[in-house]
Amino acid sequence: MAQVKRIRRKVDGVLVLDKPREMTSNAALQKVRWLFNAEKAGHTGSLDPLATGVLPLCFGEATKFSQYLLESDKGYETVMQLGIATTTGDAEGEVTERKPVDVTPARLESILATFRGDIAQIPPMYSALKRDGQPLYKLARAGEVVDREARSVTISRLDVLDWDGDRVRLAVACSKGTYIRTLVEDIGRELGCGAHVAQLRRTLAGPFEVLSAITLDVLERAHEEGGAEALDGFLLPVDSALEHWPLLTLSEHTSYYWLHGQPVWAPDIPKFGMIRVQDHNGRFIGIGEVSDDGRLAPRRLVRSE
């Protein structure tokens, strides 16, 4: 008997998932997509399997704006294990070195201070970055090490939250593209004892905080009780990642031409920059950019029913 193909639902919005430990970001995405029975979904930047915390998932029309979450600042809490270095920079790797730990609070603070602000960071071999189309982590597993260019990142916060023996809990706020494993390894190297990430939790991604994130257990229970439609109440609006952008309301007449790809004039258009746009009914219809002549040009449009 032929297998009946599952008919997916059109689902639009953002779900802020609290990713569980020991699960890849893609596995979490596929599980949640299955629970929602959604046509289209994507995540906004991978978390390591070891990591937990904020993983925004975009559904349907929200996937058009996922790049702006990829580019957003992030926040983390991490436990730095001093005295032990590993192949991957975290607890999942093999131990490569053990050293005695003789670090004072003053010494640690002096080292942390050198990592605050704009720094150059070399991405780790165990990462999803690609070289000639091949992810670096695959090369690393094959025993290969290739040169990686240092990248500029910004560490806006790096503070000690707790210190228990050889384990230091740190709060980190950073720009996109920052690798916490590399940060911890570099700190350990400067301290002279080595270090790796024992725990990692993302607490912030753009405007989304871990306190408002939904666990997989909550989603599964809701699905058991009410099916896929019962999960829709957990979704945030399509433009929730852009709520800090200026908002412009277009008239019914102007919205028609703008939605057909034409730059338009409108009252109160800002002088420059990217704009979040809604129609006269308050419905989000896309994002635009102010052109040199002062008109609002469409950049990404939301599909209407």
Side-chain angles (χ1 to χ4, degrees), residues 4 7-8 10 13 16 18 43 56 75 98 110 112 131 155 162 186 195 235 254 276 285 292:
V4 177
I7 300 175
R8 299 276 188 175
K10 185 182 184 305
V16 183
D18 187 344
H43 63 66
R98 293 180 185 271
S110 69
L112 294 182
R131 171 65 62 88
I155 309 297
D162 187 40
D186 290 345
L235 290 173
T254 307
R276 189 163 46 108
I285 56 176
D292 292 340

Side-chain angles (χ1 to χ4, degrees), residues 6-69:
R6 191 181 192 195
I7 300 175
R8 299 276 188 175
R9 297 193 304 140
K10 185 182 184 305
V11 178
D12 298 311
V14 177
L15 178 86
V16 183
L17 180 70
D18 187 344
K19 188 189 84 67
R21 187 183 170 110
E22 304 301 339
M23 193 176 205
T24 67
S25 294
N26 188 59
L29 167 67
Q30 297 308 325
K31 175 65 174 180
V32 174
R33 184 189 174 202
W34 182 87
L35 291 171
F36 272 88
N37 191 27
E39 284 181 354
K40 185 178 182 181
H43 63 66
T44 58
S46 296
L47 277 174
D48 292 340
L50 171 80
T52 65
V54 176
L55 181 66
L57 304 179
C58 295
F59 292 87
E61 293 297 285
T63 60
K64 294 178 177 179
F65 311 100
S66 61
Q67 71 182 85
Y68 301 104
L69 276 171

Side-chain angles (χ1 to χ4, degrees), residues 2 14 67 86 94 109 152 189 220 224 248 260 266 275 278 291:
V14 177
Q67 71 182 85
T86 71
E94 298 178 4
E109 174 54 33
S152 178
R189 188 176 301 111
E220 289 175 328
E224 289 174 3
L248 184 68
H260 283 77
I275 309 295
Q278 65 181 16
S291 58

Side-chain angles (χ1 to χ4, degrees), residues 229-300:
E229 290 80 3
L231 305 183
D232 292 350
F234 295 111
L235 290 173
L236 299 175
V238 168
D239 62 334
S240 57
L242 311 175
E243 289 184 349
H244 59 292
W245 287 23
L247 176 64
L248 184 68
T249 302
L250 299 181
S251 67
E252 182 176 9
H253 177 77
T254 307
S255 296
Y256 174 84
Y257 289 101
W258 192 78
L259 285 169
H260 283 77
Q262 299 184 32
V264 297
W265 297 98
D268 303 321
I269 293 181
K271 293 182 178 180
F272 60 89
M274 300 293 290
I275 309 295
R276 189 163 46 108
V277 183
Q278 65 181 16
D279 65 14
H280 65 292
N281 291 319
R283 183 178 70 91
F284 175 61
I285 56 176
I287 61 174
E289 186 173 12
V290 181
S291 58
D292 292 340
D293 63 3
R295 292 186 298 170
L296 183 67
R299 290 293 177 256
R300 298 290 282 179

Side-chain angles (χ1 to χ4, degrees), residues 156-281:
S156 53
R157 183 187 181 192
L158 182 57
D159 296 324
V160 175
L161 298 178
D162 187 40
W163 193 335
D164 183 11
D166 296 340
R167 295 164 72 92
V168 182
R169 184 177 295 276
L170 300 171
V172 184
C174 55
S175 63
K176 68 170 184 175
T178 302
Y179 286 91
I180 304 301
R181 285 178 288 133
T182 299
L183 177 64
V184 166
E185 283 185 307
D186 290 345
I187 292 170
R189 188 176 301 111
E190 290 298 314
L191 288 171
C193 61
H196 72 267
V197 168
Q199 296 176 20
L200 181 63
R201 183 160 177 76
R202 185 191 279 166
T203 56
L204 184 74
F208 303 127
E209 299 182 0
V210 73
L211 292 177
S212 60
I214 309 299
T215 66
L216 196 54
D217 288 343
V218 168
L219 294 175
E220 289 175 328
R221 287 197 300 270
H223 185 271
E224 289 174 3
E225 295 172 1
E229 290 80 3
L231 305 183
D232 292 350
F234 295 111
L235 290 173
L236 299 175
V238 168
D239 62 334
S240 57
L242 311 175
E243 289 184 349
H244 59 292
W245 287 23
L247 176 64
L248 184 68
T249 302
L250 299 181
S251 67
E252 182 176 9
H253 177 77
T254 307
S255 296
Y256 174 84
Y257 289 101
W258 192 78
L259 285 169
H260 283 77
Q262 299 184 32
V264 297
W265 297 98
D268 303 321
I269 293 181
K271 293 182 178 180
F272 60 89
M274 300 293 290
I275 309 295
R276 189 163 46 108
V277 183
Q278 65 181 16
D279 65 14
H280 65 292
N281 291 319

Side-chain angles (χ1 to χ4, degrees), residues 49-166:
L50 171 80
T52 65
V54 176
L55 181 66
L57 304 179
C58 295
F59 292 87
E61 293 297 285
T63 60
K64 294 178 177 179
F65 311 100
S66 61
Q67 71 182 85
Y68 301 104
L69 276 171
L70 283 168
E71 297 169 357
S72 65
D73 292 345
K74 307 294 190 299
Y76 297 90
E77 287 187 9
T78 185
V79 173
M80 176 173 64
Q81 173 65 61
L82 298 174
I84 302 174
T86 71
T87 53
T88 58
D90 61 22
E92 296 190 328
E94 298 178 4
V95 174
T96 59
E97 192 174 39
R98 293 180 185 271
K99 287 186 176 182
V101 178
D102 183 17
V103 179
T104 64
R107 171 67 174 157
L108 177 58
E109 174 54 33
S110 69
I111 294 300
L112 294 182
T114 66
F115 285 92
R116 297 186 185 112
D118 297 332
I119 64 171
Q121 188 181 76
I122 298 176
M125 277 300 300
Y126 281 89
S127 67
L129 295 176
K130 293 184 177 180
R131 171 65 62 88
D132 299 327
Q134 191 82 320
L136 290 183
Y137 67 81
K138 289 189 176 181
L139 298 177
R141 288 171 182 167
E144 295 184 46
V145 177
V146 299
D147 291 334
R148 289 96 66 203
E149 290 187 7
R151 304 193 300 183
S152 178
V153 297
T154 301
I155 309 297
S156 53
R157 183 187 181 192
L158 182 57
D159 296 324
V160 175
L161 298 178
D162 187 40
W163 193 335
D164 183 11
D166 296 340

